[in-house]
Amino acid sequence: MQFTPNTILAGWQPAYFTELLLGEFQRLVDTPNGYGPRGQGFIAHVDIPEKVLAAARYLQSQSLHRQR
């Protein structure tokens, strides 16, 4: 996603938005900590492509330096 001044998300820092998305992503992954059948059981299993999983792991490994 490209952050530009004319986007609806212009009020949010990119690091904050990334952390928000990663937090929601962790709920989708069907693990004991997620919301899928192997976890809380709130949602059905979601197939997540390996490229997406790799991208999420990469972003989680980065220091985002979020400021409120």
Side-chain angles (χ1 to χ4, degrees):
M1 170 173 274
Q2 186 73 4
F3 286 90
T4 58
N6 60 352
T7 63
I8 294 172
L9 304 172
W12 292 4
Q13 295 296 317
Y16 179 78
F17 184 71
T18 302
E19 285 188 8
L20 182 68
L21 288 176
L22 287 174
E24 293 302 316
F25 180 80
Q26 291 173 3
R27 292 174 181 87
L28 288 176
V29 180
D30 195 7
T31 65
N33 296 325
Y35 284 5
R38 291 187 225 162
Q40 300 297 318
F42 296 139
I43 62 173
H45 174 80
V46 176
D47 288 325
I48 301 173
E50 182 54 41
K51 280 185 166 184
V52 175
L53 291 170
R57 282 192 299 268
Y58 171 76
L59 288 171
Q60 288 169 338
S61 74
Q62 301 303 301
S63 176
L64 299 175
H65 303 294
R66 180 172 63 104
Q67 296 178 352
R68 286 191 177 252

